[in-house]
Amino acid sequence: VEHHIDWVRSLQEEFYMQGDKESEQRKPISFLCDRSKPRNGPAHGENQLGFLDVICEPMYSAWVKIFPICQELLENLQANRRYWEHDVKIEVEVTDEV
């Protein structure tokens, strides 16, 4: 999970740098690239859950059906998903308290 989080943070910074350049050039800021909307970035739990559920899980599941020896990849994906699911739950609880 730690490696996944490191990659997501790096990806988020890359997206934000793209948004910064778009803003400097007076262009519309692309989806997930607006630094002023932190809940909009790739490191936001709901965005990660959507990506994992729609893109990654179907691909990993198909891969493991063909190559069962790769089951650990799917298990790591599921661990990453649980991390973000927990992150979203905590965020909802904090928002509800405010």
Side-chain angles (χ1 to χ4, degrees):
V1 172
E2 295 84 21
H3 294 295
H4 171 76
I5 295 167
D6 289 342
W7 278 103
V8 169
R9 287 183 180 146
S10 294
L11 177 67
Q12 177 165 290
E13 185 55 31
E14 183 177 330
F15 276 37
Y16 284 167
M17 288 186 328
Q18 175 182 328
D20 294 345
K21 287 185 179 188
E22 291 169 342
S23 179
E24 289 170 10
Q25 296 172 359
R26 306 276 190 239
K27 294 181 179 178
I29 299 174
S30 299
F31 181 65
L32 301 179
C33 296
D34 192 344
R35 194 180 294 273
S36 71
K37 299 177 183 176
R39 290 179 50 100
N40 187 40
H44 184 267
E46 290 177 2
N47 295 332
Q48 277 300 302
L49 288 174
F51 177 70
L52 294 173
D53 290 348
V54 174
I55 304 296
C56 298
E57 196 280 331
M59 181 179 66
Y60 280 47
S61 292
W63 186 262
V64 168
K65 283 182 185 177
I66 298 167
F67 304 104
I69 197 166
C70 295
Q71 178 65 33
E72 186 177 357
L73 295 174
L74 185 56
E75 292 167 4
N76 289 338
L77 172 80
Q78 292 163 342
N80 293 337
R81 191 190 189 293
R82 284 191 298 274
Y83 170 84
W84 292 108
E85 200 169 44
H86 179 72
D87 181 66
V88 168
K89 182 180 179 198
I90 289 172
E91 189 173 297
V92 168
E93 290 172 358
V94 168
T95 303
D96 288 346
E97 291 175 5
V98 174

